[in-house]
Amino acid sequence: MQNELQSAIRFDDFHAVFGSQGVVALAWWLGAQHVSQIRTEEQGFPFLYVTGRTGSGKTTLLSYLSTLNGSNSVTSYAPAHATPMGLARALSDAGEHPVVLEDGYGSDRRFDWSQLAPLYKSEPIWVITQGGHSQITFKGTLVISANPPIECSKQFVSRTVHIDLLAPHTVNSRYHAESLQQLTADQASVFSQFVQRQAAQTISTIQRLAPVYAASLYDKHPSQPNARATQIGGLLMALVDALSLTLNLSHEQRQEALGQIEHNVALADLSY
């Protein structure tokens, strides 16, 4: 069944374009399908933060992930251009689904990303509206797309999984990217259906392995001052294992993703 699922969602094309970064992003996306339960288990769930210059594949990556959830297009919001009430409505209407936010580069307005930091734990935030203040409780999670990187605090970045798309497309990767762009939501919807059927297995994998991985990262890198880095790293590594069970990843694909996560935790940098 896993090999059939790989074929249905064109995973080989996806891996050819995005490599181990794509595996980490897809593992995060798998976790986002169970965000409320994971957030309860882990006392938080990180945001996905995708950066890269024009043409690096940000749109292709986010479009692919959205297709897996049954959407043929990506709906995104630019907080720097949106009214506080508009942003509040987008978050409150999302349910437990990811919300894609784009940095308003070139805008005269600057958005204070730190005001969204409480959403890591689904804590309520306040926004200024015409009627005064409104409280928002957001049950989903955030995907942030930016070029160049957003201007924000280290505290906010520490709540993210940073996918930095640096490599330009080659002739070969363009061929695989075009294949991904032809994938329809109807074809890819089998992913979300399978993920929901495997929910208990995914949560069990996280419960068993996330604390083990986090403890191992802490033991290997005791000088790492950021406890959240090892916690998020442990969660991501467990999600890679859960994704491996879902898609039957090769040993090399799994090890490369796990190795990249550990490498970046060691550097105290959550860029994947």
Side-chain angles (χ1 to χ4, degrees):
M1 177 60 188
Q2 286 90 340
N3 290 336
E4 293 175 4
L5 183 60
Q6 274 204 25
S7 177
I9 66 172
R10 304 188 183 184
F11 176 76
D12 287 346
D13 291 313
F14 177 75
H15 189 263
V17 176
F18 296 108
S20 59
Q21 285 188 319
V23 174
V24 174
L26 187 54
W28 179 92
W29 193 260
L30 172 63
Q33 310 312 301
H34 311 290
V35 61
S36 288
Q37 191 164 354
I38 294 176
R39 188 180 277 129
T40 299
E41 296 283 343
E42 296 291 311
Q43 290 79 53
F45 189 84
F47 313 134
L48 183 65
Y49 173 33
V50 182
T51 59
R53 62 190 181 189
T54 301
S56 61
K58 297 188 302 298
T59 300
T60 301
L61 174 62
L62 298 184
S63 295
Y64 177 80
L65 296 177
S66 295
T67 300
L68 299 182
N69 272 18
S71 175
N72 280 314
S73 61
V74 179
T75 300
S76 61
Y77 305 89
H81 297 289
T83 64
M85 197 61 200
L87 178 60
R89 189 178 300 111
L91 295 175
S92 61
D93 289 348
E96 295 188 4
H97 297 291
V99 171
V100 180
L101 302 179
E102 293 187 342
D103 186 36
Y105 180 66
S107 170
D108 292 334
R109 299 174 59 189
R110 283 290 176 264
F111 180 71
D112 180 11
W113 291 94
S114 63
Q115 66 181 289
L116 300 181
L119 300 182
Y120 174 82
K121 293 186 176 182
S122 196
E123 294 174 346
I125 61 173
W126 292 88
V127 297
I128 300 174
T129 64
Q130 291 181 341
H133 292 78
S134 294
Q135 187 182 64
I136 304 171
T137 300
F138 177 49
K139 297 298 184 182
T141 187
L142 300 178
V143 178
I144 300 163
S145 176
N147 173 35
I150 60 175
E151 297 178 5
C152 62
S153 66
K154 291 183 178 180
Q155 289 77 10
F156 183 81
V157 172
S158 75
R159 290 165 168 80
T160 69
V161 173
H162 185 186
I163 305 293
D164 193 17
L165 302 177
L166 296 174
H169 283 312
T170 63
V171 173
N172 184 56
S173 67
R174 285 195 189 95
Y175 166 80
H176 292 288
E178 289 172 1
S179 178
L180 290 181
Q181 291 163 3
Q182 294 168 10
L183 181 67
T184 67
D186 285 343
Q187 294 170 326
S189 62
V190 63
F191 177 83
S192 60
Q193 295 167 13
F194 188 83
V195 163
Q196 293 307 316
R197 289 198 299 270
Q198 297 294 107
Q201 175 181 271
T202 298
I203 297 302
S204 175
T205 300
I206 293 167
Q207 290 171 332
R208 287 187 296 106
L209 297 182
V212 176
Y213 277 130
S216 176
L217 289 171
Y218 183 80
D219 289 342
K220 291 180 180 179
H221 311 289
S223 62
Q224 164 59 270
N226 187 350
R228 188 176 290 124
T230 56
Q231 181 185 16
I232 291 178
L235 171 61
L236 280 177
M237 293 174 88
L239 283 169
V240 167
D241 280 351
L243 182 67
S244 186
L245 292 172
T246 300
L247 290 180
N248 193 27
L249 299 180
S250 71
H251 176 76
E252 182 181 47
Q253 289 168 342
R254 174 179 171 272
Q255 288 301 122
E256 285 180 352
L258 293 176
Q260 189 162 11
I261 293 168
E262 180 172 349
H263 174 72
N264 286 284
V265 170
L267 296 177
D269 179 7
L270 296 180
S271 300
Y272 295 93

